Amino acid sequence: MSIQYLDSEKLYYSFLSGAQEVIRNKRILNEINVFPVSDGDTGSNLAHTMHSILQEAQIKPTVKDTMNSIADAALTGARGNSGIIMAQYINGIFMSLPKEESITMSGFSEMVNGAVPHAYHAIANPVEGTIITVIKDWASAIHRYKDHAKDFHELLSSSVNDAMTSLKHTPEKLKVLEDAKVVDSGAKGFVYFLEGFASFLSTGLFKSDQNLSKETIDFTEYPGHDHDEIHERYCTEALISGENLDLDALRAELSSLGDSLIVAGNPNKVKIHIHTNSPVDFFQKLKTKGTILQQKADDMIRQNEAAYKRKYPIALVTDSIADLPLSYLDEEQVHMVPLNLLFEGTTYLDKVTMTPDVFYPLLDKASEYPKSAQPNPKTVESFLGSIAAHYDEILVITVAKVQSGTHNVFEKAAEKLRTEGKKIHVLDSKQNSAAEGLLVMKASELIQEGKPFEKIVETIEALRDQTKILVSVNTLKYMVRSGRLSKVTGFAGKIMNLKPVVSLDSEGKGSIAAKAFSEKANTQKIIDIMKKDHEESAITRYSIVHANDEKRALAMKAKCQEYLGFEPLYIMNISTIVGMSAGVGSVALSYMREKGDLL
C-alpha cells in the first residue's frame, strides 16, 4: 500500500505504532541508560510518555486538532530527560504544522525540521550525542529524501537508516557512552519510535498490541556503571498550567537549582524537568508561577544503588510515615515511598517536595487545612516493579493499615509481581511515625545479619506488640482542624486546657493513653508509662521525634536518658503528615522491647 499523504487517521496511527514500539523495548533502554545518570529508568520514562499518547490522544476532524491532541498527551505524560525532550519535539511538530488538510511529504519535512529548534531551545544545556542529535540528523535526512521518495514508506525507511547511523555514532560524541560501550538510551528510544512509525506506513494497518512486555536484551550493549557519580539527587518534574507562562523566564530562574534542566510546552501548559538536590525549593518557586498539576521527584541515588550497587540480597521498602533519618536510609539502602500531602491546591510528596521546615511555618496561615492521601497505585506499582527487576525478595513495611490505604495499595501492587515469581511480603506495622521507623530499623539489621526472609518477617510481626509510641499533644486545635477530633470535643478540651498523651492500640488505631492539663504533667505521664513498660520488659531502643520543637525533644531526651541509661537512636522532625494532626509543638517518644525469644 502506497501512502502519499497523512490525514488525521494515518497521522494518529503512525504515532501510536511508534509509541508501542518504544514501550515494547523499555527494558532494553533501561539496561543501557548511563546518561545523564545511570539510574536505569530511561526506558520506563519514555514508555510512560508513550502510554500517555496511547491513552489520551484522539483522532479529530482535522490534522491540526489531531496533532494538537497527540502533542498535549505527550506533554502531560512526559517523564524523564528524554521523555520531555521527545514531548517538546512533538509539540514543536504541532507548532510547525503546515496549513493543509492533509500532510504531504514536503509538508512532513517542514514539520519535523521546524520542530528541531523547539526541542533544542527547551534544553538549558543541550548535549550532543544524545536523543537531540539523532532527532536533528533524522529530520535532516527527511529533508534530503522528501523530493525523491515515492511514498511515505520509502521516506521513513530511508530516513530511519540515517537515524540508526546517527545512533551508532553517539558514543563518539559523548565520552560517558564511549566508556560504558553503549549508545545513548534516549536516542535509541527515538529510533524505536521511528521504526514503529515506519511500520504502520508500510501497510497502513494498525494492530493494537496488548502484549507490550515481550522484550529481549542485547547483552552486547550491557554497560559498565562504575564511573557514575550522582551530584544532583532527585530527578524532579512538574507540569504547571497558567496564562502567558514565560518559558524562557522559567528556564533562567530555575537554572541555579540543578542541572539537566528542560522547560517544554507552551504559554498555557509547561512541563519542567531538572536534576536537583532541592526539590522543595523548586516547587516553592513554581507555585507562584501557575497551578501545579503534576509533580515527581525520583531518588536517583537509590535507583542507581538498586540496579548496580546493592548491599544486601533483600530489598527493604517503607513509606514516608516511618520517621527515620535520611542518613540511615542512605547508609542501609532503605527505599522510601512518599505519601501525598494536599496543601494550598497542590499535591506534594511528603518529605521530598514538602519538608517540615517549609510546612510548619505555613500551616497556621493556610486558609484550608491540608489533607493526606495514600500514594498513587500506578506509582507504587511502577516503584515496586523497578525494584523487583533487581531483587528477588522484597519486604515492605507500611504505616498501620487502619490509618491509611497505603498498605492496601502496596499489597495490590505486590500481587501482580508475585505472579512473576517475586517474593514480596507487605507487612502492616500497626504503628506510625518513629514506632514504624524502629520496626524498619530492626528489619534492616536482620537483613544485614543475613537472616532468612521468613525469619525476618516473623520477627518483625512479633515485635509490633512490643513497640509503642507516646505522643505529647500540646494543643488540640490541629487535631480539630485535621478532622481527628470534633469541634465540640476540641472546644471542651481547650476550656480545660487538656493536653492528652496519644498512643496506638494493638491494631494501630489512635487512643488516649493518659490525660494531663499542663505541658509538664503531660511529659511526666509519658515518662511514667515508659518506666512501667521498662520494668515489665526492658526497653532496648528508643527514638524521639517532634513537630518543629527541638527544645522539647531534647528535654524529653534528658529525662529518658537519665532513667534508661542510654541515648536515643535518633531525634528528628516528624513527618509532615503525622505532624499536621498532632500539631506544631508535639513531641513523641517511641520505644521497643526485644525479648530474647523473639530473635
Side-chain angles (χ1 to χ4, degrees), residues 472 518-527 552 556 559:
S472 169
S518 70
E519 185 178 301
K520 182 178 179 181
N522 177 286
T523 302
Q524 189 57 50
K525 293 279 188 182
I526 289 177
I527 299 301
R552 283 197 70 200
M556 179 81 74
K559 290 181 179 293

Side-chain angles (χ1 to χ4, degrees), residues 329-436:
L329 299 178
D330 284 348
E331 179 64 26
E332 302 307 329
Q333 295 186 351
V334 179
H335 300 264
M336 186 272 287
V337 177
L339 272 71
N340 294 314
L341 179 70
L342 285 62
F343 187 39
E344 297 182 321
T346 298
T347 301
Y348 294 97
L349 303 175
D350 183 32
K351 291 183 177 175
V352 180
T353 64
M354 178 58 73
T355 52
D357 56 323
V358 173
F359 177 70
Y360 291 122
L362 296 174
L363 191 56
D364 284 330
K365 302 174 184 176
S367 57
E368 185 176 346
Y369 207 71
K371 292 178 171 55
S372 63
Q374 63 203 34
N376 180 280
K378 287 186 177 179
T379 299
V380 172
E381 188 176 327
S382 175
F383 184 90
L384 281 186
S386 67
I387 296 174
H390 308 291
Y391 291 88
D392 288 328
E393 297 180 321
I394 302 171
L395 173 58
V396 182
I397 300 178
T398 73
V399 61
K401 68 179 179 181
V402 297
Q403 295 184 28
S404 169
T406 301
H407 178 87
N408 290 334
V409 170
F410 271 106
E411 184 56 46
K412 287 182 180 178
E415 285 175 5
K416 294 185 178 182
L417 291 169
R418 291 187 191 115
T419 63
E420 300 172 11
K422 299 295 182 179
K423 185 184 290 185
I424 305 177
H425 188 89
V426 182
L427 190 150
D428 174 9
S429 74
K430 300 185 179 181
Q431 299 287 349
N432 67 6
S433 189
E436 182 187 352

Side-chain angles (χ1 to χ4, degrees), residues 174-241:
L174 198 55
K175 191 174 186 303
V176 67
L177 301 177
E178 183 181 24
D179 291 344
K181 298 181 175 58
V182 294
V183 296
D184 180 67
S185 180
K188 187 162 188 170
F190 180 67
V191 171
Y192 281 134
F193 175 81
L194 295 179
E195 289 176 336
F197 198 101
S199 176
F200 170 76
L201 294 176
S202 68
T203 63
L205 299 174
F206 175 76
K207 181 180 179 181
S208 180
D209 191 343
Q210 299 301 320
N211 186 3
L212 295 175
S213 60
K214 287 186 177 179
E215 43 198 316
T216 56
I217 298 176
D218 181 0
F219 283 97
T220 60
E221 289 191 314
Y222 196 87
H225 295 267
D226 292 342
H227 66 278
D228 191 71
E229 185 176 353
I230 298 173
H231 299 288
E232 302 288 348
R233 179 166 192 156
Y234 295 98
C235 178
T236 306
E237 293 172 8
L239 178 68
I240 64 173
S241 66

